[in-house]
Amino acid sequence: MNEIFFNYLINLNELVSTYYIYSFCLFFIILTLYFTFSLPGGIVILLSSGFFFGFIGGFFLNIISISLGSLIFIIFSKTLLRGLFEKYYVKFSDKLSKYIKSSSYEYLILLRLIIGLPLLFQNICISLLNISKTKILITSFIGFTPLMLLFSYLGSHASNIIQLKSFTIADIFTFEIIIIFVLIILIIFFRIFIKK
């Protein structure tokens, strides 16, 4: 079964190489739609963009599609929540927005940086806030950048099929990577503490 999968992957990689621009555009549309619906299993998709399009191409595909897809989801979710629960939504949204007002950039970047929180949960939390679309896009771009760099890098280095056969999730979250994310999160908490 694994051999069939890897043969399919090799054929798909050759097809992408042959029609690089078309594949890039199609993959961008698919990724944006995927993240617009905040579907689970994003790690595989993010790694595959690095695998097929290399580190730089994969990074730009990942960061732009996840930021844009999340923004579309948040706009839709905000409209839906406001329409269904107008009285409660406005009251809760105002309270929450006042609480994070002084450090809204830091809180939003922190939310994007936390590994393990499903994208659906992150986007619903952000849709509860009175925040401009520009701020959402900027903080998503900044907050997702470390993870997108990591996944694009790993995907591009897994382009050797032999390496891919022995690839595990533990290869992604090494001790060094976890330390870097913890340090970034601590720096952001420190900024929030200083501002308060």
Side-chain angles (χ1 to χ4, degrees):
M1 183 69 176
N2 282 344
E3 287 303 316
I4 295 169
F5 171 74
F6 286 111
N7 286 336
Y8 175 74
L9 205 55
I10 290 168
N11 292 335
L12 189 58
N13 197 19
E14 288 173 6
L15 186 68
V16 167
S17 297
T18 306
Y19 302 103
Y20 189 83
I21 300 294
Y22 295 119
S23 302
F24 191 89
C25 294
L26 180 63
F27 206 76
F28 173 73
I29 292 167
I30 291 169
L31 274 178
T32 304
L33 287 172
Y34 187 87
F35 293 121
T36 296
F37 292 105
S38 300
L39 298 171
I43 291 177
V44 175
I45 300 293
L46 295 169
L47 287 170
S48 66
S49 63
F51 180 82
F52 290 120
F53 300 101
F55 174 63
I56 302 281
F59 170 72
F60 281 111
L61 270 172
N62 288 342
I63 195 69
I64 294 170
S65 62
I66 198 168
S67 298
L68 188 61
S70 294
L71 179 66
I72 294 167
F73 178 90
I74 290 165
I75 291 168
F76 175 76
S77 178
K78 198 177 271 210
T79 306
L80 183 68
L81 289 171
R82 186 174 283 138
L84 292 175
F85 310 104
E86 186 172 351
K87 180 181 171 186
Y88 302 106
Y89 175 82
V90 172
K91 186 177 177 183
F92 183 73
S93 179
D94 288 343
K95 278 186 183 177
L96 199 56
S97 296
K98 267 185 205 172
Y99 179 75
I100 70 161
K101 186 177 182 180
S102 64
S103 300
S104 60
Y105 275 101
E106 288 84 359
Y107 281 116
L108 291 173
I109 291 169
L110 189 63
L111 184 65
R112 294 304 196 192
L113 272 173
I114 297 174
I115 299 170
L117 280 180
L119 185 62
L120 179 67
F121 177 76
Q122 291 180 22
N123 289 339
I124 288 174
C125 287
I126 293 172
S127 68
L128 295 173
L129 301 171
N130 288 330
I131 293 175
S132 72
K133 296 174 187 78
T134 307
K135 189 180 276 192
I136 292 169
L137 203 55
I138 290 169
T139 55
S140 293
F141 194 85
I142 294 169
F144 283 133
T145 293
L147 273 177
M148 298 307 111
L149 285 170
L150 174 67
F151 291 138
S152 301
Y153 176 77
L154 291 172
S156 69
H157 278 74
S159 58
N160 182 344
I161 296 297
I162 294 164
Q163 287 178 335
L164 191 59
K165 288 181 180 179
S166 63
F167 190 75
T168 63
I169 293 294
D171 294 332
I172 297 173
F173 300 110
T174 62
F175 180 73
E176 293 84 7
I177 297 296
I178 291 171
I179 290 296
I180 289 169
F181 276 96
V182 167
L183 286 174
I184 292 169
I185 290 169
L186 288 174
I187 289 168
I188 292 172
F189 271 127
F190 183 71
R191 277 186 55 92
I192 292 169
F193 178 75
I194 294 296
K195 281 188 173 183
K196 290 208 174 192

